[in-house]
Amino acid sequence: MTSPEAAWLASSLAAARPRVISALLRVFRDLDTAEEAFQEASLRALHTWPRTGPPRDVAAWLILVGRNAALDGRRRLARQVPLPADDGLPERAVSDQGLSDPGLSNLGLSDLEDAETPLAEAIDAQVYRDEILRLLFICCHPELPVTQQIALALRIVAGLSVARIARAFLVSEAAMEQRISRAKARIARSAVPYGAPGAVERVERLAAVSAMLYLVFNAGYSAATGSERSVLCDEAIRLGRLLLRLFSTDPEVMGLLALMLLQHARSPARVDADGEIVLLEDQDRGLWRRPMIAEGLALVDKAMRHRRPGPYQVQAAIAALHARARRPQETDWAGIDALYAALERMQPSPVVTLNRAVATAKVAGPEAGLALVEPLAGPLQSYVHFHGLRGALLMQLGRNGEAREAMRRAIALAGTPAEAAHLRSQLDRLAGTGAAESEKI
């Protein structure tokens, strides 16, 4: 069992990682060097802190120690003469080649054990927001494919191992290592600016960062089973909390975090003991994580008070209506239908319309829902949920032959074994209905 001390050390290092790597990246302008420096600083922290106690500023300690370790490594590679003992002067007469930040270059090199000094505290804490943003912006560089953005963010910002990321996305470790290496190489070739992001860039790239976080979350949420994938939801929420600390008054960031919290709160009830998917209306709501729901609802209310609605806020409001219903029959489907209509206006999408069709069917019946679904056949022909919902609505209307064909198509497109098993069970119900009808003839 992990001791409280070990757990505290692990959580402290994980929390400090984004700021530390971003600061080291600004100094060395190389992702691999920044990562290695952080790992070396973390190892020294694990060795030092249990004996001396944690520093007042964990991130500053790690930045200074990581920077010094990386510089020592560069000097060893250059076969330079070892540094003399610390003479108490604020600076040493050494050549820090490869550094790009004069402010950090001019910080004195202290002994690696001596980070509780004014030198560590001299690191500008006021650039914290820009440091984290810079790192997130680099991971969401527009030249990178989305798959590489996600992989790089999980490796660099969240600190997940390559093996764990590979398992989460069902690819080999070698393939994931190659994906991350390609992303780093592309960033190195593209001359990414390492200065503080400007106001316009912040707005433009904040949307990309938010989308990346939600893609990470959905990658975990869409997997009904598997502990390796559930960790993606946890990491997305952790990074969402970080983003909210950076943009504490942005209602869309509040909405994004609220949406992830409210959806993830239902996770314990989404799969039964046999690994089968449990639909929302059949879930044991006593298993929902009420503290997580309370936090999500508070964020939704806070975001709405800003009166600047956006897509994440609307989606969070939909999730909130589900979360507030203690029983399925208490769900405000009319309110959900209206919110989806608003989301359609803000962010027109066939998937949004498909989701709205569920609420419309609850309010006005399956025929009204199917009327929204049928026009989506072209753009959603390869989307499993289109065929699944269409099959379910056709089944409610008694059009069992068409329903069977839709369900078979959905099974062929299923992304997980649990999803395929759930659809197959609905197809089996149709087969049973057909047999019963044959006996009546």
Side-chain angles (χ1 to χ4, degrees):
M1 183 178 293
T2 305
S3 68
E5 181 182 74
W8 181 88
L9 283 169
S11 63
S12 295
L13 292 174
R17 180 186 177 96
R19 180 186 174 191
V20 175
I21 287 189
S22 183
L24 293 170
L25 181 60
R26 182 154 57 96
V27 175
F28 296 106
R29 297 192 176 224
D30 180 77
L31 281 169
D32 286 326
T33 301
E35 262 197 292
E36 290 167 8
F38 174 77
Q39 294 299 335
E40 180 62 29
S42 297
L43 289 173
R44 298 189 190 210
L46 293 172
H47 174 73
T48 303
W49 294 354
R51 293 186 291 103
T52 64
R56 286 192 298 273
D57 188 333
V58 167
W61 193 100
L62 292 167
I63 291 168
L64 187 65
V65 171
R67 173 186 176 275
N68 289 350
L71 288 174
D72 285 346
R74 288 192 173 188
R75 293 189 188 98
R76 282 194 297 271
L77 288 175
R79 298 179 181 177
Q80 292 183 356
V81 178
L83 293 173
D86 191 354
D87 55 9
L89 296 176
E91 297 183 22
R92 291 180 179 176
V94 294
S95 174
D96 291 346
Q97 295 180 357
L99 296 181
S100 62
D101 188 285
L104 287 182
S105 296
N106 291 333
L107 284 174
L109 292 177
S110 67
D111 291 336
L112 293 179
E113 302 287 336
D114 182 25
E116 276 291 87
T117 67
L119 288 175
E121 294 171 2
I123 296 174
D124 187 0
Q126 293 187 10
V127 300
Y128 172 67
R129 166 175 157 141
D130 286 342
E131 295 285 11
I132 304 299
L133 271 181
R134 185 180 299 109
L135 188 58
L136 288 170
F137 286 179
I138 288 170
C139 290
C140 292
H141 194 274
E143 291 189 15
L144 297 179
V146 171
T147 54
Q148 290 184 12
Q149 290 182 19
I150 293 173
L152 195 62
L154 290 173
R155 179 71 196 103
I156 301 297
V157 185
L160 298 187
S161 68
V162 174
R164 172 165 276 187
I165 300 170
R167 286 195 298 270
F169 287 96
L170 303 178
V171 300
S172 69
E173 189 171 342
M176 184 54 69
E177 182 73 62
Q178 188 177 53
R179 185 180 297 179
I180 293 171
S181 296
R182 284 175 177 170
K184 290 178 178 178
R186 183 170 292 190
I187 286 173
R189 291 194 304 268
S190 62
V192 177
Y194 287 86
V200 174
E201 185 187 13
R202 279 195 185 116
V203 173
E204 292 175 347
R205 299 290 284 277
L206 177 58
V209 170
S210 299
M212 181 273 291
L213 292 186
Y214 197 40
L215 285 171
V216 171
F217 178 83
N218 277 329
Y221 190 79
S222 62
T225 60
S227 59
E228 292 301 335
R229 282 206 166 191
S230 67
V231 75
L232 297 180
C233 291
D234 294 331
E235 284 303 323
I237 288 172
R238 187 174 74 84
L239 294 175
R241 293 186 195 281
L242 175 60
L243 199 62
L244 184 58
R245 286 205 296 274
L246 303 176
F247 292 93
S248 58
T249 61
D250 190 301
E252 271 293 84
V253 176
M254 295 176 202
L256 171 61
L257 180 56
L259 174 59
M260 294 190 293
L261 287 167
L262 292 168
Q263 289 183 329
H264 198 39
R266 301 198 297 261
S267 292
R270 292 180 63 233
V271 181
D272 64 18
D274 298 322
E276 300 292 331
I277 291 175
V278 181
L279 294 178
L280 180 61
E281 60 188 21
D282 299 323
Q283 290 176 12
D284 178 359
R285 300 184 179 216
L287 297 176
W288 290 2
R289 298 165 176 154
R290 290 295 161 185
M292 195 175 282
I293 288 174
E295 182 182 0
L297 293 178
L299 280 169
V300 171
D301 291 341
K302 184 177 180 181
M304 292 302 181
R305 285 198 294 272
H306 285 261
R307 298 188 181 281
R308 287 189 285 131
Y312 289 122
Q313 293 172 72
V314 174
Q315 292 176 77
I318 291 168
L321 289 180
H322 284 299
R324 287 190 167 102
R326 292 284 179 168
R327 297 180 301 164
Q329 54 268 38
E330 295 175 3
T331 304
D332 181 5
W333 285 110
I336 291 172
D337 188 33
L339 285 167
Y340 269 122
L343 187 60
E344 277 185 310
R345 292 190 293 272
M346 289 180 185
Q347 200 174 60
S349 160
V351 173
V352 172
T353 302
L354 186 72
N355 288 332
R356 183 188 176 190
V358 176
T360 300
K362 293 286 186 181
V363 174
E367 193 166 353
L370 191 61
L372 288 177
V373 170
E374 295 287 18
L376 306 175
L380 298 183
Q381 191 59 232
S382 299
Y383 189 53
V384 58
H385 299 299
F386 165 76
H387 296 283
L389 177 58
R390 183 171 177 271
L393 294 173
L394 287 168
M395 187 164 53
Q396 291 177 41
L397 291 168
R399 295 162 59 177
N400 293 343
E402 295 171 89
R404 283 190 204 91
E405 183 58 34
M407 287 300 179
R408 290 192 186 102
R409 179 65 177 150
I411 291 169
L413 293 168
T416 66
E419 190 173 59
H422 169 71
L423 292 165
R424 203 169 287 114
S425 69
Q426 291 186 294
L427 188 60
D428 290 343
R429 282 174 54 198
L430 276 170
T433 301
E437 289 173 350
S438 297
E439 290 176 5
K440 293 177 183 177
I441 297 174

